[in-house]
Amino acid sequence: MVDLLLAEELLLIGLDDESGRTRGMFDPGSLHGALLCDLIERGAVTVDDRTTVHPAGVAPGHPALDAVLATIAEDPKPRSVSHWTSTLPWKHTKPAELVAQRLVADGVLSREEGKVLGLFRTVRLPEADPGPERALRERLRSVLVHGTTPSAHDALLVALLHSTSQVRAALSDVDTAQRRAGGKRARAVAKGLADDPVLKARYDAAVLAAVMATVSTVVVTTSGSS
């Protein structure tokens, strides 16, 4: 399988392997921000010093990224990161299903549809191939527990896990002392990324995207239930 997106990695950490449902504090709304981070990382959009997002004419070739990029490109006016993180939840209301498309196609996850009370459609995404998640968790343990210097991608992933309170979930297979140390290491990695003059703009946009997308999802959910 090709390299995973940040959004795919967050989804694998956030799903229960057997039930295919979200677990713990994982909020699928953070995936909107992660997808925006992926577009930035892959050069499909650029972000200027005003955090305005500009399509770069690069086709990502991934169903989730193509869908989000199309939404951004359809707007005739360049918009800010915060605009898109508040808008994407309205445009793409099922982010977990959107992000899972390639994982399902590649046999990493399976997709099971059902109904609640015979009326409301539900989708579960249980794990079919544990290999990619196992490799992901090994990389994160290497960085967060053993102190390996992360790649730029892994540093950004750690920053997203830290900003969305998912470090503990990522280290669920280590002991309490190691999780505590991993949390401190995640904060240090995120701070180092923020202080890096080359990566700072990407980091700022990424964390704003992830955090704002989660907040926007809460607003959308609350508005929809009233």
Side-chain angles (χ1 to χ4, degrees):
M1 182 176 181
V2 297
D3 292 341
L4 294 174
L5 300 179
L6 293 163
E8 290 171 330
E9 292 170 329
L10 289 181
L11 182 62
L12 289 178
I13 295 294
L15 288 176
D16 181 83
D17 296 343
E18 294 185 5
S19 72
R21 297 187 175 93
T22 58
R23 60 183 170 190
M25 297 178 64
F26 177 66
D27 183 348
S30 64
L31 297 174
H32 292 108
L35 286 167
L36 188 52
C37 299
D38 283 309
L39 289 173
I40 296 168
E41 186 178 43
R42 294 179 179 232
V45 302
T46 60
V47 180
D48 63 25
D49 56 6
R50 292 188 170 187
T51 69
T52 302
V53 179
H54 303 272
V58 176
H62 183 287
L65 294 185
D66 289 343
V68 173
L69 180 59
T71 299
I72 294 172
E74 285 169 1
D75 196 313
K77 181 180 177 180
R79 304 286 186 177
S80 67
V81 170
S82 59
H83 168 85
W84 286 118
T85 51
S86 63
T87 300
L88 289 175
W90 297 92
K91 298 288 188 178
H92 303 281
T93 59
K94 299 183 184 302
E97 294 179 42
L98 180 66
V99 171
Q101 288 181 73
R102 187 179 68 165
L103 295 173
V104 171
D106 288 351
V108 178
L109 299 176
S110 58
R111 177 188 171 95
E112 300 176 2
E113 293 195 23
K115 287 188 176 182
V116 176
L117 301 176
L119 297 173
F120 305 104
R121 185 181 72 92
T122 63
V123 173
R124 298 192 302 117
L125 298 163
E127 192 168 69
D129 176 6
E133 183 181 351
R134 185 181 300 126
L136 167 62
R137 289 181 179 274
E138 287 175 358
R139 277 179 22 232
L140 289 170
R141 280 199 305 274
S142 179
V143 171
L144 296 175
V145 177
H146 303 299
T148 302
T149 300
S151 65
H153 175 93
D154 284 350
L156 188 54
L157 174 60
V158 168
L160 290 172
L161 289 168
H162 173 65
S163 66
T164 57
S165 303
Q166 287 297 293
V167 174
R168 180 180 292 272
L171 296 176
S172 61
D173 51 356
V174 302
D175 62 37
T176 301
Q178 289 176 318
R179 281 198 299 273
R180 189 177 297 114
K184 292 180 180 179
R185 171 69 169 156
R187 287 193 294 274
V189 169
K191 184 179 186 303
L193 193 60
D195 291 342
D196 187 312
V198 176
L199 297 174
K200 178 174 172 51
R202 183 184 296 177
Y203 168 82
D204 289 344
V207 172
L208 176 61
V211 174
M212 285 296 296
T214 301
V215 172
S216 299
T217 299
V218 172
V219 173
V220 170
T221 302
T222 304
S223 300
S225 62
S226 60

